[in-house]
Amino acid sequence: VTIADILSANLDSINSGRIGFEERSLVFEGDTHWATMICGIYRRLKRNGFLSIPTGSWESVGELWNERYIPSLESGDLPTLLHILRNFLRNELSAGIVSHVQDRKELESVNGKIICDLVALSRDFPQSHLSQLEMPCVGNPFGLSIDHYLIVPDAPRHYAHAHKIAQLVSNIESPRILEIGGGYGGVAYMLQSLKADGRYQYVICDLEPILFVALYFLQSCKAILDGSLKLSFVCDKEDLSGLDIAQADIIFVPTTLISHFLGWKFDLVYKANSFSEMDSGTLAHYFDFINAVAPRYIFLQANLWGGSAFDHPTIRLSDFPIGENYRVAEWCYAPWISGAGKSKEIV
């Protein structure tokens, strides 16, 4: 049964995902170990001088992190850190990485937006199934409950973008993909099933507080689904010569270390949304890197008309310093409600 079939014939089965919005502690085997590992990574990054400073629209998000999250990393307070990570989709960690955060206690509003995104997805991918959009119950998710599936905000976009990435690199042997600003790892998670028949390496570059969320999410998903992907975190430039990085399927790279990847070959660079939310200096830094490594494809979802995010001005797609050697292969207006009708997808 496809998404279109369910939406057209089974609307009575759609409800508000009444799992509740109170924080809860879902305990997964191993997540205490992952939290301990995250604290160790944080200490090593701090010792090596590679902790980042949020800029642009992310300054206000960083202020939220400083209330509980960063202090728990600093002190190694595992109970507090675990409570935050086990509920990351419903607390301060969701800011900036989950759409419709401001609406999450208004279930009808959230679900209406998810339905619109499902309609958009079913138009472009008519054979897609709800089972392809559901993720493991990590981070205390909320969203649209339909049949026996829970569809979280952004899942339709994550699936569509993962599908586009898989399509673009389909004729490349062992492609290497760089996602800048990977959020909690939703696209990386969706890509696993779409590229299950082929080897690839997926590098996620982000602020380290967000990378820790992605590491927790993807490690938890791996444990729940008994996955085989190897995950590795770069804490210093010396790590790049190690086997852990060379043999990893998913590599986590703090923004402060991205320049050490200039010698790497990337087949595709992907970025959704937050280029527009950076300050101009940070944006120029990223495009200096992208233009230097010269990937075959650049896949972007970005803001068309400016505006604001977290009370900061945003940068328009037309002002991105994309290298002169690139041409537009395809584009469309982003159909996702999360783009608020002002975003464009471009390859």
Side-chain angles (χ1 to χ4, degrees):
V1 181
T2 65
I3 291 174
D5 292 333
I6 292 175
L7 290 177
S8 63
N10 201 18
L11 290 177
D12 289 340
S13 71
I14 298 176
N15 60 57
S16 300
R18 296 185 182 89
I19 296 177
F21 287 90
E22 299 300 322
E23 290 193 342
R24 60 183 177 179
S25 290
L26 287 179
V27 180
F28 300 111
E29 183 179 355
D31 75 345
T32 299
H33 169 70
W34 305 325
T36 303
M37 180 173 62
I38 287 169
C39 286
I41 293 171
Y42 179 86
R43 287 193 297 271
R44 189 175 173 208
L45 288 171
K46 183 178 181 180
R47 184 173 63 250
N48 294 340
F50 290 124
L51 293 182
S52 59
I53 300 174
T55 61
S57 300
W58 290 90
E59 288 182 24
S60 55
V61 177
E63 292 173 1
L64 294 175
W65 295 338
N66 286 330
E67 294 176 7
R68 294 193 303 164
Y69 183 38
I70 299 301
S72 71
L73 291 168
E74 286 276 355
S75 64
D77 181 356
L78 290 183
T80 299
L81 179 59
L82 278 169
H83 185 69
I84 296 171
L85 289 173
R86 288 169 178 166
N87 296 280
F88 75 82
L89 288 167
R90 300 175 187 251
N91 58 32
E92 63 266 33
L93 295 189
S94 64
I97 65 173
V98 182
S99 296
H100 321 312
V101 168
Q102 69 276 13
D103 299 330
R104 67 176 173 222
K105 293 190 177 181
E106 300 175 10
L107 294 174
E108 291 185 3
S109 174
V110 171
N111 288 322
K113 293 172 181 176
I114 296 173
I115 289 173
C116 289
D117 283 355
L118 286 173
V119 171
L121 182 70
S122 65
R123 181 193 63 207
D124 293 336
F125 302 96
Q127 299 306 312
S128 55
H129 295 259
L130 288 174
S131 60
Q132 296 171 294
L133 305 185
E134 188 175 49
M135 70 180 197
C137 196
V138 178
N140 197 0
F142 66 94
L144 175 71
S145 177
I146 176 169
D147 272 10
H148 56 281
Y149 301 105
L150 179 68
I151 309 302
V152 301
D154 295 314
R157 177 178 66 82
H158 287 164
Y159 177 83
H161 284 188
H163 201 286
K164 171 57 68 176
I165 291 169
Q167 176 190 4
L168 289 170
V169 301
S170 60
N171 293 322
I172 301 173
E173 184 178 355
S174 300
R176 180 182 286 146
I177 300 153
L178 169 64
E179 180 177 4
I180 298 175
Y184 65 84
V187 173
Y189 172 77
M190 296 288 183
L191 189 63
Q192 293 177 52
S193 60
L194 294 169
K195 288 287 292 178
D197 59 342
R199 176 82 164 84
Y200 67 95
Q201 193 171 61
Y202 199 90
V203 180
I204 303 175
C205 176
D206 213 324
L207 302 171
E208 74 280 346
I210 301 176
L211 286 180
F212 296 151
V213 177
L215 176 60
Y216 176 83
F217 172 73
L218 292 171
Q219 281 280 24
S220 298
C221 292
K222 175 183 174 181
I224 293 169
L225 301 175
D226 195 24
S228 60
L229 290 183
K230 297 178 181 178
L231 283 65
S232 191
F233 204 108
V234 177
C235 296
D236 201 303
K237 59 184 179 181
E238 282 74 23
D239 292 346
L240 299 182
S241 58
L243 284 177
D244 283 349
I245 299 300
Q247 297 176 352
D249 299 295
I250 299 178
I251 302 171
F252 302 91
V253 182
T255 57
T256 50
L257 282 161
I258 189 62
S259 61
H260 296 292
F261 283 75
L262 280 171
W264 283 41
K265 176 182 178 294
F266 291 97
D267 298 290
L268 182 147
V269 172
Y270 162 66
K271 180 77 179 93
N273 296 326
S274 60
F275 267 164
S276 298
E277 299 163 3
M278 298 176 181
D279 62 40
S280 57
T282 303
L283 182 68
H285 171 73
Y286 275 118
F287 271 98
D288 285 345
F289 176 83
I290 293 171
N291 293 329
V293 298
R296 181 181 300 189
Y297 299 105
I298 302 174
F299 174 27
L300 304 172
Q301 176 178 309
N303 196 299
L304 277 175
W305 299 299
S308 64
F310 310 115
D311 297 324
H312 285 259
T314 57
I315 300 175
R316 297 178 303 175
L317 174 61
S318 58
D319 294 326
F320 288 7
I322 301 173
E324 295 180 356
N325 293 330
Y326 286 96
R327 63 177 180 82
V328 175
E330 56 184 278
W331 72 272
C332 68
Y333 292 107
W336 321 112
I337 297 296
S338 61
K342 60 179 183 180
S343 294
K344 185 176 183 178
E345 293 177 4
I346 185 169
V347 176

